[in-house]
């Protein structure tokens, strides 16, 4: 499960209703034209490729201020596929949604390694020069197809075979970005997670946090803020109240939430105070934790694992605190002993001199 799957799951209608009641929809006036219409039906692949390339662009423009840019989801997919393909002695492997499309194993593995290496090189080149070439766009599309394995457990049959129409689609999405919308003063988090807040829901990573604003990217033909969009962005904020951002549970910078509609070049952004006051958010956070543990994970038979993981974290924190205390005490004693030895040595030297 994940935050997105939980809040969109009709089995948890109580949660959906709670979001709607506690955080009523504000008045929203969005205007804009479809300036980057879809060029193919590969909406999901193109959207994910845009996500990759948009993040690369932010990293290229704000190098020193970009935080937490770790590995790609595609890295995990690459390892999964290469391990699986390398482990078999069969001459062919089966790919595609139904695993019914045969590929020559050696040729496929060679293609996989070559395109992955190219993607790393094109990424580094783009960071260095910022030139939007077909090569970096192809690499972004390749990475988005790799993602399918991690997210859906299958190998995209078109992996490594990118169409000119998809390349054109991604290029126009990048070209309509108004970079004034994404100025960075202090920090830019790419794919931020929310510590044990993310763990609570089985996984959650947002698209962006720029300074004090969390932004989710929508690559859709529809210029409309849906209820699920509001639940998702507010949900990320709730998770940040639980676990902070990335590995820092005390870092809670979010004051605004926004949605960027990439096909319209429109950024919608509002303060969190538009939805509720601080106490309401904190009360909802407490209710949310209980609901997820009792209604979501208990139904899945995973509540005991959640509690066990929580206990492990608490025990680990205690051990770390004890270790730090012991180290501090040891260092203090060592300094004290050293100081005493130096004092004794000076006194001995002084006596000898006086004689």
């Amino acid at each position: 499960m994940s935050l997105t799957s939980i809040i969109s799951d009709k089995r948890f209608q109580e949660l959906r209703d709670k979001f709607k009641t506690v955080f009523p929809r504000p008045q929203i006036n969005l205007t804009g034209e479809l300036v980057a219409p879809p060029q193919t039906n590969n909406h999901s692949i193109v959207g994910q490729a845009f996500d990759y390339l948009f993040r690369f662009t932010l990293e290229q423009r704000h190098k020193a201020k970009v935080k937490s840019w770790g590995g790609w989801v595609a890295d995990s997919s690459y390892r999964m596929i290469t391990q699986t393909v390398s482990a078999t002695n069969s001459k062919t492997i089966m790919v595609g949604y139904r695993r019914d499309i045969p590929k020559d194993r050696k040729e496929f593995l060679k293609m996989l390694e070559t395109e992955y290496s190219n993607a790393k090189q094109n990424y580094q080149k783009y960071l260095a020069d910022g030139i939007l070439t077909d090569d970096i766009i192809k690499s972004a599309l390749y990475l988005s197809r790799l993602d399918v394995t991690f997210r859906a457990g299958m190998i995209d049959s078109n992996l490594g075979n990118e169409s000119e129409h998809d390349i054109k689609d991604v290029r126009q999405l990048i070209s309509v970005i108004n970079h004034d919308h994404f100025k960075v003063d202090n920090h830019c988090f790419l794919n931020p997670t929310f510590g044990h807040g993310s763990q609570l829901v089985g996984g959650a990573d947002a698209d962006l946090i720029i300074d004090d604003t969390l932004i989710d990217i929508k690559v859709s033909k529809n210029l409309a803020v849906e209820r699920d969009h509001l639940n998702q962005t507010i949900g990320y904020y709730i998770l940040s109240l639980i676990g902070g951002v990335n590995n820092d549970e005390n870092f809670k910078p979010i004051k605004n939430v926004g949605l960027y509609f990439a096909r319209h070049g429109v950024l919608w952004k509002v303060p969190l105070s538009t939805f509720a006051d601080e106490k309401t958010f904190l009360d909802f956070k407490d209710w949310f934790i209980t609901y997820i543990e009792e209604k979501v994970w208990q139904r899945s038979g995973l509540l005991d694992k959640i509690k066990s993981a929580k206990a492990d974290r608490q025990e680990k924190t205690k051990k770390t605190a004890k270790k730090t205390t012991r180290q501090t005490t040891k260092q203090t004693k060592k300094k004290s002993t050293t100081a005493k030895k130096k004092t004794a040595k000076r006194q001995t030297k002084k006596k000898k001199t006086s004689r």
Side-chain angles (χ1 to χ4, degrees), residues 28-222:
I28 300 172
N29 296 312
L30 276 180
T31 59
E33 297 181 1
L34 185 64
V35 293
Q39 302 297 303
T40 71
N41 292 323
N42 296 325
H43 306 305
S44 178
I45 294 297
V46 168
Q48 190 60 38
F50 171 74
D51 283 352
Y52 268 112
L53 198 49
F54 184 34
R55 294 195 298 266
F56 295 169
T57 300
L58 288 172
E59 191 175 7
Q60 196 277 329
R61 294 174 69 90
H62 307 285
K63 294 181 178 68
K65 298 176 182 178
V66 168
K67 312 286 185 180
S68 70
W69 181 240
W72 303 329
V73 170
D75 292 332
S76 298
S77 292
Y78 176 76
R79 288 190 293 269
M80 290 167 64
I81 297 173
T82 51
Q83 288 171 4
T84 301
V85 174
S86 299
T88 180
N89 293 322
S90 174
K91 291 184 178 180
T92 61
I93 59 167
M94 308 304 289
V95 302
Y97 180 74
R98 295 183 177 83
R99 294 177 176 81
D100 57 352
I101 301 174
K103 298 280 187 179
D104 182 275
R105 186 180 72 89
K106 289 185 178 180
E107 289 183 2
F108 182 84
L109 189 59
K110 183 179 180 181
M111 177 279 297
L112 191 72
E113 293 172 344
T114 299
E115 293 301 325
Y116 184 73
S117 176
N118 288 342
K120 293 288 186 179
Q121 292 175 23
N122 291 332
Y123 161 68
Q124 291 297 337
K125 185 176 183 299
Y126 184 65
L127 291 187
D129 61 25
I131 299 174
L132 187 65
T133 63
D134 282 357
D135 287 338
I136 185 60
I137 298 176
K138 285 180 181 178
S139 288
L141 286 162
Y142 167 78
L143 294 173
S144 71
R145 291 191 188 279
L146 267 183
D147 277 15
V148 173
T149 299
F150 183 84
R151 301 182 190 281
M154 47 88 68
I155 300 174
D156 192 306
S157 59
N158 288 313
L159 186 62
N161 184 25
E162 315 310 337
S163 77
E164 293 300 320
H165 293 295
D166 285 343
I167 293 171
K168 180 181 178 181
D169 206 354
V170 175
R171 181 180 287 278
Q172 68 171 356
L173 287 167
I174 292 293
S175 69
V176 302
I177 296 173
N178 181 348
H179 291 285
D180 288 340
H181 290 158
F182 304 101
K183 290 181 177 179
V184 181
D185 292 327
N186 298 308
H187 51 250
C188 173
F189 289 88
L190 304 174
N191 284 121
T193 56
F194 307 101
H196 52 274
S198 290
Q199 295 170 15
L200 176 69
V201 295
D205 62 300
D207 288 331
L208 299 170
I209 297 176
I210 295 180
D211 295 324
D212 60 2
T213 302
L214 182 146
I215 300 172
D216 202 52
I217 299 170
K218 302 300 178 186
V219 186
S220 168
K221 292 189 297 183
N222 301 319

Side-chain angles (χ1 to χ4, degrees), residues 248-259:
D248 188 350
E249 64 180 16
N250 296 316
F251 186 57
K252 301 172 182 180
I254 304 169
K255 295 180 181 178
N256 311 288
V257 293
L259 297 169

Side-chain angles (χ1 to χ4, degrees), residues 259-355:
L259 297 169
Y260 176 62
F261 295 90
R263 293 202 176 278
H264 303 78
V266 172
L267 175 65
W268 175 76
K269 172 182 168 181
V270 293
L272 282 161
S273 58
T274 301
F275 300 101
D277 58 25
E278 184 177 358
K279 184 180 183 304
T280 302
F281 277 112
L282 292 175
D283 289 344
F284 182 87
K285 177 202 72 171
D286 294 337
W287 178 89
F288 181 81
I289 292 172
T290 301
Y291 181 87
I292 295 297
E293 289 184 344
E294 295 183 357
K295 298 296 178 67
V296 177
W297 295 121
Q298 197 167 55
R299 286 184 185 181
S300 306
L302 295 175
L303 182 57
D304 290 340
K305 290 185 178 180
I306 295 293
K307 289 182 177 179
S308 177
K310 185 176 181 180
D312 288 343
R313 288 196 304 271
Q314 291 173 340
E315 183 63 26
K316 186 177 180 180
T317 300
K318 288 180 180 178
K319 287 181 178 180
T320 301
K322 287 181 180 179
K323 185 178 179 181
T324 302
T325 301
R326 286 197 302 268
Q327 289 175 341
T328 302
T329 302
K330 187 176 180 180
Q331 289 172 354
T332 301
K333 287 181 177 179
K334 186 177 180 180
K335 288 179 180 179
S336 178
T337 301
T338 302
K340 287 179 180 179
K341 287 181 178 179
K342 286 182 177 179
T343 301
K345 190 175 180 180
R346 284 196 300 270
Q347 290 175 345
T348 300
K349 186 176 181 181
K350 187 176 182 181
K351 287 179 180 180
K352 288 181 179 179
T353 302
S354 62
R355 289 174 186 172

